[in-house]
Amino acid sequence: MNPMQSAIGWQAEAVLIATLVAPVALALLGAVRSYRRHAPWMAVLAALPALVCVLTVPVGAMVESSWLLLQSRFGMDATGKFFLMFTAVLWLLCALFATGYMARDDKRFRFGFGFLLAMGGNFGLILAMDMLTYLVAFALMSFASYSLVVHAQDAEAVRSGRVYIALVIIGEIFLFSALFLHAGNGGDTNLHGLSGVLDAPHVALLLALGFGIKAGAVVLHVWLPLAHTVAPTPASAVLSGSMIKAGLLGWIRFLPPASGGDPAWGAVFIAAGMTAAFYGVVIGLGQKHPKTVLAYSSISQMGLITVAFGMGLTLGNGTPAAAVAVMCYAFHHALAKGALFLGVGVVGGTKRRSRLRLWLTAILAVAALALAGAPLTTGALAKTALKAVMVHLPAGWETTLAILLPVSAIGTTVLMGRFFYTLRGFSAHHRVSTVETFSWIVLVLLSASVLFMLPFVGPFASAMLKPANIWLSFWPVAAGAGLTAGVAWMSRRAGRGLPWHPPAGDLLVPVEWLSGAVNRLASTLMNQAAWRTREDLEKPREGRAEQPPGRIEIWETGFSRWPTSSLIFAVIVCALLFVLSRK
């Protein structure tokens, strides 16, 4: 690699390269049988360079490869440093948690391989400085995560993996098509020089949808509750806490707001975000598994982050408070949601109705209160930053969001109540180890404190301490807690639970039914056509002997084979993309 800026020093370059190379190199090393006994700790070792990178590499450091992916560029900017901070912490603690959680699993080596590759892709996309490198790292992370989703190899895991990989492929097609179209129109592929993407609606739509799949946008979210439920607990934590943020970072990198803002696209993201915020709560309330409830909570919380991003698009890059609100929400949600997912494994691994389980549940409530936005928590800080941006919006948006945001906080509190209700009867069928408990408690403490230590949140922390803002944070949580207690009391008196139990994956169920119906109809029609063809072929030909198949029939038979037809289809798609990129 040739340095683009020699002033940063070889030490910073070495740390950057180690951050990118360590996870992939250790994944390949772990595939060697003689090194497998060290596999549980390889993921911990692989995450350390990323943490060192955050602490030592200055903003502006960059390295360039003239031979990798048409001149790849990796570097550290302010946005990447912020994302890498919570990503490295979460991967490190989840890897430490996995050393105990996966110790009794006979498929732990395969888990470690996929875990390390996904980690490498996640770090790579954060440090990527050009479009192609970002998308390749994004693809590595997405495809490697498939092994985490199907880890259990039961029927539910296989179905979840099939849905996940289908949406991953659709998303990759959208993203690479957008890259080809943007580059074909003469656009700059350097992420720092990226501009004018929002002026090309077809490119912006492809990017919004492609990254929206990973971010859990409504309608595109159906993989998320399925995957989070069946994946091992440390994998669920990084899927929801870190990897889901890759979609958000993609929006930030690829859809930069114009100097004067883009109200049309801003309205789209704000509306989509508020829809996700309420939809995730409504569907999540009917779930019976604690990890499924948390998955729908991620959809809801990512909706609020989408709202903050939409505000930034509306106001333009002249309003830095919008970017700060997005960062605060992303940081808060990553650590708090990671702590909640790991807490499912810790609390579920202790004896029911024991004093230890009661204490662990109380610690877990710290992360749940932060997610709901209780006063003096990181959630309240993130919402204070969000409210500081609202005052700059047009009057209609400001009034609407001033009503909807407190209602969404009530919904989040009720959803957390549902989470603890489902956790009460949950058992993880394993005895929790000391290393699992330690790494989880550290993550809970960091999720409750680290955001307050960052220098740019000082004004929002001061504003959060004002009595008026404390009241605005308190009453939605209190109302949600009261509503939860009322529903629980009524359910106990009625002797039955909620009648609302939508299946995980919700919108996927009618789609699967419809596709099954279409498949059955097509099979019936094809069978009828084949029967008629067979009858016609069996009729004796009058006045002439049976003729051997002609050249056209032979070609038709060859083209109808799956390998041949798939190759022809791939060539046609590549040719179409090439033609579009030339326009």
Side-chain angles (χ1 to χ4, degrees):
M1 293 207 176
N2 300 319
M4 291 185 67
Q5 297 179 3
S6 57
I8 65 173
W10 65 268
Q11 297 92 340
E13 295 177 20
V15 173
L16 274 173
I17 296 171
T19 302
L20 299 167
V21 172
V24 178
L26 288 173
L28 298 176
L29 187 64
V32 180
R33 186 176 297 274
S34 58
Y35 289 96
R36 284 187 177 178
R37 59 192 179 93
H38 304 294
W41 291 94
M42 284 184 176
V44 179
L45 183 62
L48 289 176
L51 196 59
V52 175
C53 185
V54 172
L55 298 175
T56 62
V57 175
V59 172
M62 187 174 294
V63 291
E64 181 182 9
S65 170
S66 59
W67 56 270
L68 182 64
L69 297 177
L70 302 178
Q71 199 171 20
S72 294
R73 291 181 291 271
F74 299 93
M76 181 74 75
D77 61 355
T79 301
K81 194 178 188 71
F82 187 86
F83 271 81
L84 190 62
M85 185 186 304
F86 66 76
T87 301
V89 168
L90 188 58
W91 277 101
L92 177 62
L93 292 176
C94 288
L96 187 63
F97 185 93
T99 60
Y101 186 87
M102 302 300 299
R104 297 163 294 274
D105 196 321
D106 56 359
K107 298 187 287 293
R108 59 187 178 275
F109 303 117
R110 189 185 64 190
F111 170 86
F113 186 76
F115 193 84
L116 281 165
L117 289 181
M119 181 194 299
N122 202 174
F123 292 162
L125 66 90
I126 292 174
L127 297 175
M129 292 289 107
D130 63 277
M131 292 179 69
L132 181 58
T133 305
Y134 187 101
L135 294 182
V136 170
F138 188 90
L140 174 62
M141 180 194 71
S142 300
F143 284 104
S145 302
Y146 173 76
S147 66
L148 306 179
V149 176
V150 300
H151 178 79
Q153 292 185 313
D154 54 17
E156 186 180 3
V158 171
R159 173 178 177 260
S160 302
R162 186 167 57 246
V163 173
Y164 171 79
I165 201 66
L167 285 171
V168 164
I169 292 173
I170 292 172
E172 294 297 331
I173 291 173
F174 286 165
L175 295 177
F176 278 97
S177 299
L179 169 63
F180 294 148
L181 291 173
H182 178 74
N185 292 331
D188 190 356
T189 59
N190 184 355
L191 291 178
H192 280 175
L194 204 60
S195 62
V197 177
L198 294 174
D199 297 330
H202 53 296
V203 176
L205 180 61
L206 288 171
L207 293 171
L209 293 176
F211 290 123
I213 292 175
K214 184 63 68 180
V218 170
V219 180
L220 306 174
H221 71 280
V222 292
W223 68 271
L224 198 148
L226 298 175
H228 287 23
T229 303
V230 300
T233 295
S236 297
V238 291
L239 276 169
S240 182
S242 179
M243 285 191 271
I244 198 175
K245 304 301 184 301
L248 171 66
L249 182 59
W251 285 339
I252 295 173
R253 296 289 202 199
F254 287 69
L255 300 174
S259 57
D262 196 314
W265 278 108
V268 170
F269 276 89
I270 292 174
M274 290 310 305
T275 302
F278 288 102
Y279 186 85
V281 170
V282 171
I283 305 299
L285 286 175
Q287 304 304 315
K288 299 179 180 180
H289 195 288
K291 288 172 69 176
T292 313
V293 176
L294 290 180
Y296 278 102
S297 171
S298 293
I299 295 171
S300 177
Q301 293 297 305
M302 286 301 296
L304 295 177
I305 299 176
T306 304
V307 170
F309 179 74
M311 291 181 182
L313 287 182
T314 301
L315 299 173
N317 55 20
T319 309
V324 173
V326 172
M327 301 295 186
C328 288
Y329 243 116
F331 194 106
H332 145 71
H333 178 261
L335 297 187
K337 188 53 64 69
L340 286 169
F341 268 107
L342 294 187
V344 173
V346 173
V347 175
T350 56
K351 293 182 179 180
R352 296 183 186 178
R353 300 179 182 177
S354 64
R355 182 172 297 180
L356 176 60
R357 182 158 181 151
L358 181 62
W359 280 107
L360 294 176
T361 303
I363 296 174
L364 187 61
V366 174
L369 288 172
L371 201 70
L376 307 181
T377 63
T378 55
L381 178 63
K383 290 187 177 181
T384 301
L386 191 63
K387 292 171 185 175
V389 185
M390 285 170 47
V391 298
H392 301 287
L393 292 174
W397 277 122
E398 181 184 1
T399 304
T400 303
L401 292 176
I403 298 172
L404 293 180
L405 288 178
V407 177
S408 71
I410 295 174
T412 301
T413 306
V414 175
L415 192 59
M416 288 297 98
R418 178 64 181 175
F419 164 69
F420 282 104
Y421 177 81
T422 57
L423 186 62
R424 184 182 61 174
F426 177 74
S427 177
H429 304 294
H430 79 281
R431 194 169 185 176
V432 65
S433 64
T434 303
V435 69
E436 293 171 68
T437 306
F438 171 77
S439 56
W440 170 66
I441 291 177
V442 170
L443 184 55
V444 172
L445 294 176
L446 291 177
S447 69
S449 59
V450 172
L451 187 57
F452 291 104
M453 302 177 187
L454 301 180
F456 59 84
V457 302
F460 303 112
S462 301
M464 182 187 67
L465 297 176
K466 294 181 179 179
N469 286 329
I470 292 178
W471 169 249
L472 290 176
S473 300
F474 172 76
W475 78 260
V477 177
L483 183 60
T484 302
V487 171
W489 179 77
M490 292 175 61
S491 299
R492 183 173 299 178
R493 291 205 53 178
R496 56 188 178 87
L498 293 173
W500 172 249
H501 295 296
D506 50 280
L507 296 178
L508 184 66
V509 174
V511 172
E512 287 181 328
W513 179 88
L514 182 61
S515 64
V518 172
N519 186 42
R520 289 190 296 272
L521 178 60
S523 298
T524 302
L525 295 176
M526 291 178 67
N527 289 335
Q528 291 179 354
W531 178 261
R532 291 173 183 172
T533 302
R534 192 181 305 114
E535 287 181 342
D536 293 338
L537 291 175
E538 290 176 353
K539 292 179 180 179
R541 299 188 178 185
E542 299 178 358
R544 57 176 179 171
E546 192 73 22
Q547 297 293 328
R551 184 171 298 178
I552 294 179
E553 287 82 358
I554 295 175
W555 288 353
E556 183 179 0
T557 303
F559 288 142
S560 63
R561 293 173 182 167
W562 274 110
T564 306
S565 59
S566 300
L567 179 61
I568 294 173
F569 177 75
V571 171
I572 293 173
V573 170
C574 293
L576 179 61
L577 290 175
F578 177 76
V579 171
L580 290 175
S581 66
R582 301 290 292 178
K583 292 183 179 180

